[in-house]
Amino acid sequence: MKANEVSGSLTFATMNEMRRTVAFYTLGCKLNFAETSTIARDFVANGFERVEFEQPADVYVINTCSVTQNADDETRQIVKRAQRTNPEGIVVVIGCYAQLKPEEIVAIPGVDLVLGATEKFNILRYIKDLNKSDRGTVHSCEISEANTFVSSYSIGDRTRAFLKVQDGCDYKCSYCTIPLARGISRSDTLENVLAKAEEIASQGIREIVLTGVNTGDYGKGEFGNKKHDHTFLDLITALDNVPGIERIRISSVEPNLLRDEIIEFVAQSKHFVPHFHIPLQSGSNHILGLMRRRYRRELYADRVQLIKKLMPHACIGADVIVGFPGETDEHFSETYEFIHSLPISYLHVFTYSERDNTPAASMPGVVPMQVRKSRNKMLRTLSAKLQRAFMESQLNSVRTVLWEAENREGYIQGYTDNYIRCRSYWNPELANSLQVVSLQRIDEDGFMRVQIVEFSKSANKAQASASIGVST
């Protein structure tokens, strides 16, 4: 082993001989997972072996989120885990938290490198001269410099891929740090998205999930070019014709950007599934105004109703924030009753968390944390009821399940096109296949149990045989 005399540490020159493993940990959204996966492929292409985060590694890369204080706190715990596993491992922190508070992160014991929004895809360049030392190094930027687009996609269980088509946000919601962490709205070119989709399809992936910060704003260019060369409707229309991809799912679209034409297209498309995730945040128009959201509850209800009119079987998810400054019991009741009145299938519930440098952090009417937690619990309970009701409404219907490729303690799991969780006893012949099934019953763990209508390695949503076959 060759020791380097600088600070008694080992540099990348020595790492070429002995530091050849890398581990990743990702917090936050599907977009982060897509970017982590792309960075991981770069490491592997440069001779590194990727290992699990729980294993000793020579380099640990932590891709952070900063939507809530909990995400910040979790980053600290993950750094400690890496250091316990291998005290000599180089720890690199990237992502939203790294852009927003780099000096706070670099002060965490064990952190060696912090990279901001424009530098996270250049990790390999920076670790070439990196030493393990008492204090790390920051390479950050002004967020105005984050104005270019880097293509990314992730492949988890080799069943579905998260494909990044858009980044950044031009909206100024009063509670949100994302524009400060990721910069302006910009998009990949239509040609490159289609090329990436074909690349994904060539690897046997059956489903693509479109991801972005504000996905429906797709079309804005790099360097502040706000001209929409292509719209989101152009994008999904073109993707519907990519050969080899049997399912395409839209991760999330703002209600004011979810145009009639988009809903109508999905309803008759070949490959887009009947599943929409539409952020709500509040069912009170007063609170929506304080949040600086670009719609009111009436528009949201209209979007949901049109979806259900054209696709009665569609699954609709919603994001909701509880405990926003100024949210009274009456405002929360408005939200609760509004959600209860709509055919929403599930909720993602967030407890409001004060974030530095956002207008909401200094607003009056702070809601006590205990009240926030109580409201969160109420909406989570409502979400469980909504999800159960949606699943029961689909019993005895015929849908298509995409089975995953992992043996989960004797079971195989998958999702229907309209996002119902299913499971069956493990059968390797089902892995990464689409099967037309009849939805039979909901088991004790909340999974849908099914019967296969017709066994096929290439089933698609157009199939709808009425005969019942193998029970699963």
Side-chain angles (χ1 to χ4, degrees), residues 430-443:
L430 293 177
N432 197 29
S433 73
L434 285 154
Q435 304 294 334
V436 178
V437 301
S438 172
L439 308 184
Q440 294 293 292
R441 65 182 178 87
I442 304 168
D443 70 17

Side-chain angles (χ1 to χ4, degrees), residues 416-433:
T416 62
D417 53 346
N418 60 344
Y419 208 57
I420 292 175
R421 294 190 310 163
C422 302
R423 76 174 177 185
S424 175
Y425 297 112
W426 172 250
N427 178 353
E429 292 188 12
L430 293 177
N432 197 29
S433 73

Side-chain angles (χ1 to χ4, degrees), residues 159 401-414 423-435 450 452 454-457 469-472:
T159 299
V401 174
L402 175 56
W403 295 108
E404 297 168 358
E406 183 179 350
N407 186 338
R408 299 175 183 264
E409 300 180 345
Y411 289 97
I412 189 170
Q413 296 183 12
R423 76 174 177 185
S424 175
Y425 297 112
W426 172 250
N427 178 353
E429 292 188 12
L430 293 177
N432 197 29
S433 73
L434 285 154
Q435 304 294 334
V450 304
I452 293 179
E454 180 180 347
F455 182 82
S456 171
K457 278 292 183 181
V470 183
S471 175
T472 63

Side-chain angles (χ1 to χ4, degrees), residues 316-352:
I316 302 175
D319 294 334
V320 190
I321 297 172
V322 295
F324 189 82
E327 184 186 64
T328 64
D329 288 343
E330 290 75 18
H331 295 138
F332 176 71
S333 293
E334 275 190 83
T335 295
Y336 189 98
E337 294 303 325
F338 180 67
I339 294 169
H340 193 265
S341 71
L342 295 175
I344 290 174
S345 311
Y346 66 89
L347 306 174
H348 288 167
V349 186
F350 300 89
T351 300
Y352 172 74

Side-chain angles (χ1 to χ4, degrees), residues 122-333:
N122 298 320
I123 297 178
L124 285 163
R125 186 180 76 196
Y126 284 111
I127 65 173
K128 287 183 179 179
D129 302 312
L130 192 63
N131 297 314
K132 186 72 181 174
S133 58
D134 292 334
R135 182 174 174 83
T137 304
V138 173
H139 292 278
S140 191
C141 66
E142 294 296 325
I143 197 57
S144 59
E145 298 174 27
N147 56 13
T148 59
F149 187 89
V150 178
S151 298
S152 304
Y153 68 83
S154 71
I155 298 174
D157 59 4
R158 304 196 66 79
T159 299
R160 63 181 56 82
F162 301 132
L163 175 59
K164 172 184 169 184
V165 299
Q166 185 273 341
D167 200 353
C169 189
D170 292 338
Y171 289 4
K172 304 297 181 185
C173 299
S174 61
Y175 55 84
C176 187
T177 60
I178 297 301
L180 303 175
R182 283 191 169 268
I184 61 171
S185 178
R186 67 263 189 206
S187 311
D188 204 351
T189 64
L190 180 60
E191 295 75 17
N192 197 50
V193 172
L194 296 178
K196 291 296 181 184
E198 291 175 1
E199 183 178 319
I200 291 167
S202 71
Q203 300 177 60
I205 306 302
R206 298 301 188 97
E207 179 177 306
I208 286 178
V209 183
L210 303 182
T211 66
V213 174
N214 189 355
T215 312
D217 200 33
Y218 174 85
K220 292 179 179 176
E222 297 179 307
F223 308 110
N225 173 18
K226 298 306 177 188
K227 179 179 180 293
H228 282 69
D229 294 326
H230 294 97
T231 66
F232 187 65
L233 180 60
D234 293 335
L235 174 70
I236 62 176
T237 301
L239 282 169
D240 204 38
N241 293 310
V242 173
I245 294 296
E246 286 150 291
R247 277 190 185 178
I248 308 175
R249 198 176 297 274
I250 302 169
S251 60
S252 180
V253 180
E254 292 286 305
N256 54 299
L257 295 175
L258 186 57
R259 314 290 188 196
D260 288 2
E261 295 83 1
I262 294 171
I263 297 171
E264 291 164 358
F265 175 79
V266 171
Q268 54 80 45
S269 74
K270 298 190 291 279
H271 301 299
F272 278 83
V273 296
H275 173 208
F276 294 83
H277 192 90
I278 316 170
L280 171 62
Q281 311 309 6
S282 177
S284 163
N285 280 341
H286 176 72
I287 298 300
L288 288 173
L290 293 177
M291 290 178 167
R292 299 182 184 173
R293 300 291 286 166
R294 298 193 177 195
Y295 56 88
R296 292 297 178 262
R297 55 185 267 161
E298 291 77 13
L299 173 65
Y300 193 95
D302 179 74
R303 301 296 79 203
V304 171
Q305 289 161 3
L306 180 59
I307 291 168
K308 282 296 188 177
K309 176 183 177 182
L310 298 179
M311 293 165 278
H313 52 283
C315 178
I316 302 175
D319 294 334
V320 190
I321 297 172
V322 295
F324 189 82
E327 184 186 64
T328 64
D329 288 343
E330 290 75 18
H331 295 138
F332 176 71
S333 293

